[in-house]
Amino acid sequence: MRIQELLKGNIMKKFEIIKISEMWSTEKLRKKVEVLINEKSKEGFEIVTVAFGVNLWWMPTAYITICK
């Protein structure tokens, strides 16, 4: 989905990007992301995107975009 499409109609929404890294285990990272997503959903946030990758030091990293 393109940025313009995401923002269309969401001008007044506040977007936030959360970054989580885990040094040794992708499974631990996945569990941390799952817990965070469930917490944020219960708080009324909309989960826009979840992306997995690596950071500068090749640590598994998740990037989660939320809005309210």
Side-chain angles (χ1 to χ4, degrees):
M1 193 179 289
R2 296 176 50 155
I3 297 292
Q4 291 84 2
E5 293 169 357
L6 281 174
L7 295 177
K8 187 177 182 180
N10 293 327
I11 299 300
M12 300 305 291
K13 289 188 177 183
K14 178 185 173 196
F15 288 84
E16 181 181 343
I17 297 174
I18 302 168
K19 181 175 83 169
I20 303 174
S21 295
E22 176 60 47
M23 181 66 101
W24 303 110
S25 171
T26 55
E27 182 61 21
K28 285 182 184 178
L29 177 62
R30 186 196 60 78
K31 288 178 182 178
K32 284 181 179 180
V33 168
E34 185 176 350
V35 167
L36 181 91
I37 287 173
N38 288 332
E39 286 175 7
K40 293 299 181 181
S41 292
K42 287 178 185 175
E43 293 174 10
F45 286 92
E46 176 185 346
I47 309 303
V48 179
T49 62
V50 178
F52 291 90
V54 293
N55 66 12
L56 184 63
W57 297 281
W58 292 93
M59 290 172 42
T61 305
Y63 302 90
I64 305 155
T65 306
I66 60 175
C67 71
K68 193 162 196 180

